[in-house]
Amino acid sequence: MTPEPTPDGPLTFSFLTLFPELLAPFASEAILGKARERGLVDVNLVNMRDYSQNRHLKVDDKPYGGGAGMVIRVDVAERALASLPPADEVILFSPAGQPFTQAVAEELAAKAHLVFLCGRYEGFDARVEGLVTRELSVGDFVMMGGEAAAACVLEAVARLRPGVLGDADSHRADSFSSGLLDYPEYTRPLEWQAQEVPEVLRGGNHAAIAAWRREQALKRTLARRPDLLASAPLTPQDSATLVTLGATLDDLKAWGAPPPPPPKKPKRKKTPDTTPSGT
């Protein structure tokens, strides 16, 4: 199949790893696999053992100063990096790194070539930090290696490239892309275990559906992730909705939200004219 190049060319992901077989199937199936076939995304898996320069393919050694575990050598990482074309970003997965968020994914999606270093054992020699442009963390927990984190970032970033998703606008209403958690979605069956699809979604009134979805997104975010509201692009009407959902004016102020619009004044009824005619 001949690739269909995008106007800006494909986004290339290069992963330096000791276990490329962990990432190979993830990058070859479903939407990612189709995106690669169409030339929208390219995935380059680099086995760091190929740059060990010893017959046992050994890439790690004992840590200076003692301690448990093994450390991946900086010279191995440097040789593997030198084998690649120039990159826009060279990224190390690290617990000390910048939290990976949707905003970071959107920033990376605008690049042409991203390189990721996937650690193992006790991680990389600290001097590797001088070879990277940034460090990323996918959360405050410990894994056995960086490949699972790499898979998360690959999917989150690749789906933002034009043409990768079937609907070019589908990701814009996702959780975090809009600044809020996503609204609830429904499909068939219409009724399941006494739970019905909300009537507003069945009526065909697109304005009413849009208003309901915005209210539900605000409701979910207020209940589950109120911290997101401090950075969400809220409107005065959003503020009014949040107040009806239980937020206080002090909450709105803390989030930097605009004040809700003033209540509309009731229309005054016209007093009937009782003046006798002819006077």
Side-chain angles (χ1 to χ4, degrees):
M1 181 177 181
T2 304
E4 300 173 8
T6 62
D8 297 323
L11 170 54
T12 299
F13 296 83
S14 294
F15 297 102
L16 276 59
T17 171
L18 298 179
F19 298 97
E21 63 273 15
L22 294 179
L23 285 167
F26 189 89
S28 302
E29 300 295 332
I31 290 175
L32 277 174
K34 293 177 181 178
R36 292 179 71 186
E37 290 177 357
R38 295 168 57 202
L40 303 174
V41 171
D42 190 20
V43 177
N44 181 24
L45 301 177
V46 180
N47 191 333
M48 287 187 287
R49 296 188 190 278
D50 295 338
Y51 301 92
S52 62
Q53 292 189 347
N54 63 77
R55 68 183 209 176
H56 299 293
L57 303 180
K58 186 175 174 62
V59 299
D60 57 349
D61 215 325
K62 297 178 181 178
Y64 278 112
M70 303 291 280
V71 179
I72 301 174
R73 294 168 55 117
V74 62
D75 57 334
V76 173
E78 190 277 331
R79 286 192 292 269
L81 284 171
S83 72
L84 297 172
D88 296 301
E89 294 266 13
V90 178
I91 297 169
L92 173 68
F93 290 112
S94 163
Q98 171 190 14
F100 181 65
T101 63
Q102 188 67 22
V104 175
E106 291 171 357
E107 180 186 351
L108 296 180
K111 310 291 185 179
H113 184 199
L114 303 171
V115 177
F116 297 89
L117 280 74
C118 304
R120 279 275 158 173
Y121 317 129
E122 294 302 308
F124 287 93
D125 183 302
R127 289 167 289 186
V128 165
E129 296 172 8
L131 304 176
V132 305
T133 59
R134 77 164 84 189
E135 299 178 36
L136 285 182
S137 169
V138 296
D140 294 340
F141 52 89
V142 179
M143 296 185 293
M144 291 182 287
E147 287 76 18
C152 291
V153 173
L154 170 61
E155 182 160 308
V157 175
R159 68 189 295 276
L160 298 176
R161 293 289 283 192
V164 170
L165 297 181
D167 184 344
D169 293 327
S170 63
H171 67 80
R172 294 177 184 169
D174 289 337
S175 295
F176 309 115
S177 290
S178 64
L180 304 172
L181 296 181
D182 202 2
Y183 50 79
E185 296 275 17
Y186 295 87
T187 187
R188 291 182 176 85
L190 184 63
E191 182 178 344
W192 178 77
Q193 296 185 357
Q195 300 177 69
E196 288 191 358
V197 175
E199 185 175 352
V200 65
L201 300 179
R202 294 141 47 191
N205 184 329
H206 296 295
I209 291 171
W212 180 88
R213 285 175 168 171
R214 184 68 178 181
E215 179 181 352
Q216 291 299 308
L218 290 165
K219 183 177 181 180
R220 280 191 165 193
T221 306
L222 179 63
R224 305 181 189 184
R225 289 291 306 276
D227 56 294
L228 296 177
L229 293 167
S231 56
L234 300 175
T235 67
Q237 184 55 51
D238 290 337
S239 295
T241 301
L242 287 166
V243 169
T244 65
L245 293 171
T248 67
L249 295 180
D250 286 339
D251 290 332
L252 297 180
K253 186 176 180 180
W255 297 327
K264 293 182 179 180
K265 294 181 179 180
K267 292 183 179 180
R268 295 179 61 185
K269 293 183 179 180
K270 291 184 178 180
T271 304
D273 187 359
T274 56
T275 305
S277 58
T279 60

